[in-house]
Amino acid sequence: MNRFNRVTLKRGLAKRVIDGKMYLVDSETSTLHQLNESGTIIVKKLEKGMGIERIINQIVEDYEVERKRAEKDVLFFIKGLKDKGLIIEDG
């Protein structure tokens, strides 16, 4: 997976934000996933159809984070979602 890939959330995930943290429920596995605030921001951007590269750029702009750090963190987080079967890689 690289920053030019596009990913989408798996269909059928139940989502709810409580106190700035998103909770995802995968009904297929009956698993609850709690995201921190950064993960919540990334998933909300994925829901809007943003690609990984655009998410990285937006985080750098909005939070004044070093680009290399933002890229590493976003790719690590998205790989975790993929490993848990919560996203689908579109290419």
Side-chain angles (χ1 to χ4, degrees):
M1 169 143 348
N2 66 55
R3 68 180 195 261
F4 300 110
N5 291 72
R6 292 194 60 83
V7 296
T8 55
L9 289 175
K10 173 180 161 181
R11 291 188 191 273
L13 290 178
K15 301 173 279 298
R16 171 150 294 157
V17 177
I18 302 170
D19 292 331
K21 295 178 184 175
M22 182 177 283
Y23 296 85
L24 302 173
V25 178
D26 185 345
S27 59
E28 286 182 16
T29 62
S30 299
T31 307
L32 172 68
H33 302 274
Q34 177 183 337
L35 308 181
N36 63 17
E37 289 180 36
S38 299
T40 299
I41 290 165
I42 294 168
V43 169
K44 284 182 176 182
K45 292 182 183 308
L46 288 173
E47 287 182 298
K48 292 180 180 177
M50 290 179 124
I52 296 171
E53 177 72 6
R54 188 166 169 211
I55 291 171
I56 293 167
N57 290 337
Q58 189 97 49
I59 288 173
V60 169
E61 276 183 40
D62 293 349
Y63 301 98
E64 298 179 8
V65 180
E66 198 176 298
R67 178 166 178 76
K68 189 178 247 185
R69 174 65 186 253
E71 183 174 334
K72 179 183 170 207
D73 290 350
V74 169
L75 290 174
F76 179 80
F77 177 77
I78 289 178
K79 182 184 180 315
L81 292 178
K82 183 179 178 190
D83 291 347
K84 292 174 182 164
L86 299 174
I87 58 170
I88 299 163
E89 198 169 350
D90 297 334

